Amino acid sequence: MPRSPRPAGSLLSPLIVALCAITLLLVPLAPVAVGAGPSQTSGAPARPGPTSAVSGIVADVVDSVVPLPTVNRKSGLVRVLRRMLRLVNVVRSVPHVCGTTLMPAVGPLKTNKRLNKAARKYARKMARNDWFEHDSPNGKDPGDRISAAGYTWSRWGENIGAGYDDVPSVIAAWLASPGHCTVLMSKFRHVGFGYAFHRKSTFGHYWVQDFAHPRRR
């Protein structure tokens, strides 16, 4: 059963439904958190049905997806995460209604090696240690991890997802959730992506998107 994606951050900075305060179609959805700056955080929402308006974009933009979990191999992982960047920027190029809020189109994101480092490291940790939260057991939040990777931010956001076995599914799930959709459509300059698979973990597949805007020097 796919786990809901989660948003995290300082703009707005699965066990079972009983463990979660917010649900979407009986699948847990992480609440939007507020941090020390204008950042956002989100986890992954329920897998949308075939009638979802998002499906057309996903099908048109992401083709020949590399089978998972083979993307744990470096070459496959790079290909998959490049497709995620392509899809995210297509999504951002048109307005979207996130819950009841119309989010205008925003500019394309550029990948950042420091954000990639933060996202990939955290995806591996969630898979290896079998947890699904924005805050790690040692109390570090996404902003802490992004800073530790060497990125100096003015605002940041994070989406996480678990249980989704390909890029189209997790992107569609995030877009179907108001909090995650808002993170995707927010004004950031850079993004980093992470994915990890662990067959002995609860959900198998773990995804991380870390967004950020640099601090002015």
Side-chain angles (χ1 to χ4, degrees):
M1 177 179 179
R3 173 91 181 251
S4 277
R6 302 191 177 196
S10 71
L11 268 181
L12 302 171
S13 190
L15 305 185
I16 55 175
V17 175
L19 299 180
C20 296
I22 300 177
T23 63
L24 176 65
L25 299 179
L26 300 183
V27 179
L29 174 64
V32 174
V34 178
S39 306
Q40 300 172 339
T41 69
S42 282
R47 187 185 299 269
T51 59
S52 171
V54 180
S55 300
I57 295 177
V58 169
D60 290 342
V61 176
V62 181
D63 54 355
S64 61
V65 174
V66 177
L68 303 177
T70 58
V71 298
N72 266 356
R73 300 169 185 170
K74 187 173 180 180
S75 59
L77 179 61
V78 169
R79 289 171 59 197
V80 165
L81 298 184
R82 282 178 181 169
R83 285 188 171 93
M84 180 173 278
L85 175 65
R86 181 182 172 208
L87 177 56
V88 164
N89 280 333
V90 169
V91 166
R92 287 167 60 88
S93 70
V94 296
H96 282 276
V97 176
C98 299
T100 59
T101 303
L102 176 61
M103 300 293 291
V106 284
L109 296 162
K110 295 181 179 179
T111 55
N112 179 275
K113 64 181 181 181
R114 292 179 175 85
L115 295 180
N116 278 336
K117 178 181 177 181
R120 292 177 186 181
K121 185 176 181 180
Y122 196 60
R124 289 194 297 267
K125 282 189 174 182
M126 286 196 295
R128 188 185 312 122
N129 296 290
D130 198 15
W131 82 74
F132 184 67
E133 298 291 342
H134 288 290
D135 291 354
S136 59
N138 64 5
K140 301 294 185 182
D141 68 16
D144 295 324
R145 295 190 294 272
I146 291 170
S147 295
Y151 189 100
T152 303
W153 50 269
S154 61
R155 58 183 181 272
W156 56 263
E158 179 176 86
N159 281 336
I160 60 175
Y164 296 87
D165 61 2
D166 57 38
V167 172
S169 297
V170 72
I171 291 288
W174 281 323
L175 284 174
S177 159
H180 310 88
C181 176
T182 299
V183 173
L184 277 169
M185 295 300 295
S186 291
K187 292 183 179 180
F188 296 110
R189 182 181 298 176
H190 297 128
V191 69
F193 303 121
Y195 167 81
F197 175 82
H198 197 296
R199 66 181 67 256
K200 292 185 178 180
S201 64
T202 301
F203 303 108
H205 308 274
Y206 294 81
W207 302 87
V208 178
Q209 295 181 318
D210 281 336
F211 305 84
H213 198 82
R215 183 182 302 167
R216 292 182 180 179
R217 297 185 182 278

